[in-house]
Amino acid sequence: MTPRSARPVEIGSAHVVVTGGSSGIGLATARLLAGRGAKVSLIARGRARLEAAAKDVSAAARVADVADRAAVTRAIAELEEEREQPCDILITSAGLARPGHFLELPDEIFRQMIEVDYFGTLYALRAVVPGMVERGRGSVVAVSSAAALLGIFGYSAYGPAKFAVRGLMESVRAELVPHGVHVGVVFPPDVDTPQLAEENQWKPAQTRAIGGTIKPLTAEKVAAAVVAGIERRRFVICPDTGTRVLARFGSVLMPLLNREFDRRVRAIGKVTK
């Protein structure tokens, strides 16, 4: 197979589909892209919030659970028909985070994280990538997490799902780049979103101690990194210096980081109740 030359997607004429587009990183990215002239389509589970977001960014929208392959595939097809344009840029931002102690989390939480965070990404990619390969252009960007760069206390359910997203994007990058399709994966740390507020209700004290006093990023800062990553065809997209360092030197720094994290955990006291 002869590799196709990379043709960057022109954002101003692109049809962008954003899963998890009703709030947080997804909505902030949708706003930024709509402001650049893109045709934006949103997918999310909650109808009321999705309708408000669609009105905010003048977007087309469909209600769908990304963990339901038939539903998300149908939603994307309907949005492509409504916009009279195939998906040029896909951003998979839909996700769940449920921290907790490994010994206390029920199996259902582990299953849910994989179904939403991993399969929710996979199903959306499967719906748009064949067309992008056929056209020889496009961009697919998955929102993973800084928790996919290093195992962290309290994220035994969430972390592996985001590691899986990272592994998926690393693998498909190798296959899609020769077809002219850009592949990117985003590694945000804590971001000030409704999802983080929900997550914090379940976060163990040890997990909070590991995070220290680091202030969450704004969704707008992450969105700006995503758009820049699309324009520059970056694979690894890190919205701050800390995750950039971790993405590049994580394997070297891991022993030191684990030692420091263990110290903070011991300072909290007994791990289990």
Side-chain angles (χ1 to χ4, degrees):
M1 180 185 66
T2 302
R4 301 189 189 185
S5 59
R7 292 187 290 158
V9 175
E10 293 292 336
I11 288 175
S13 60
H15 176 202
V16 183
V17 176
V18 184
T19 70
S22 63
S23 66
I25 295 170
L27 179 55
T29 306
R31 282 196 187 110
L32 188 55
L33 290 167
R36 298 279 295 276
K39 295 179 182 178
V40 176
S41 296
L42 307 178
I43 296 173
R45 289 188 302 172
R47 183 176 298 277
R49 194 158 61 176
L50 177 61
E51 290 177 350
K55 184 177 180 180
D56 177 21
V57 298
S58 299
R62 289 294 185 280
V63 175
D65 182 349
V66 296
D68 182 334
R69 181 175 184 177
V72 74
T73 301
R74 182 171 58 252
I76 290 173
E78 290 176 357
L79 290 166
E80 289 180 322
E81 183 176 357
E82 179 176 340
R83 286 299 197 178
E84 298 182 334
Q85 186 172 339
C87 175
D88 299 298
I89 299 172
L90 171 70
I91 299 168
T92 61
S93 183
L96 291 176
R98 174 62 159 84
H101 293 98
F102 174 73
L103 296 178
E104 298 171 1
L105 286 170
D107 288 350
E108 177 56 30
I109 294 297
F110 289 85
R111 186 177 300 108
Q112 187 181 41
M113 296 299 100
I114 290 293
E115 289 177 349
V116 175
D117 294 346
Y118 174 70
F119 281 108
T121 298
L122 174 65
Y123 295 154
L125 261 67
R126 299 278 277 183
V128 304
V129 163
M132 290 182 177
V133 169
E134 185 177 344
R135 296 187 298 274
R137 64 196 301 266
S139 180
V140 290
V141 177
V143 177
S144 181
S145 169
L149 298 171
L150 180 71
I152 300 174
F153 187 113
Y155 286 124
S156 57
Y158 175 69
K162 290 300 191 178
F163 265 95
V165 171
R166 172 188 174 183
L168 172 66
M169 300 311 281
E170 287 182 356
S171 298
V172 299
R173 185 212 65 80
E175 294 191 36
L176 298 184
V177 165
H179 292 283
V181 179
H182 162 249
V183 177
V185 59
V186 191
F187 297 104
D190 281 350
V191 182
D192 187 9
T193 65
Q195 173 62 53
L196 181 62
E198 169 67 20
E199 179 184 336
N200 282 338
Q201 296 181 39
W202 303 97
K203 193 174 287 184
Q206 293 88 350
T207 309
R208 295 178 185 275
I210 288 170
T213 57
I214 299 174
K215 185 178 179 180
L217 299 183
T218 65
E220 289 72 22
K221 182 168 184 178
V222 179
V226 171
V227 174
I230 293 169
E231 290 183 316
R232 299 169 189 174
R233 299 180 71 85
R234 289 175 177 160
F235 173 66
V236 174
I237 301 173
C238 296
D240 70 324
T241 302
T243 50
R244 198 171 300 120
V245 171
L246 195 57
R248 179 166 294 191
F249 303 110
S251 59
V252 175
L253 296 174
M254 190 178 296
L256 295 175
L257 290 171
N258 283 338
R259 191 175 303 129
E260 173 59 19
F261 293 163
D262 289 348
R263 184 193 67 77
R264 295 186 187 187
V265 167
R266 285 195 299 271
I268 293 296
K270 195 174 182 180
V271 170
T272 56
K273 295 179 181 178

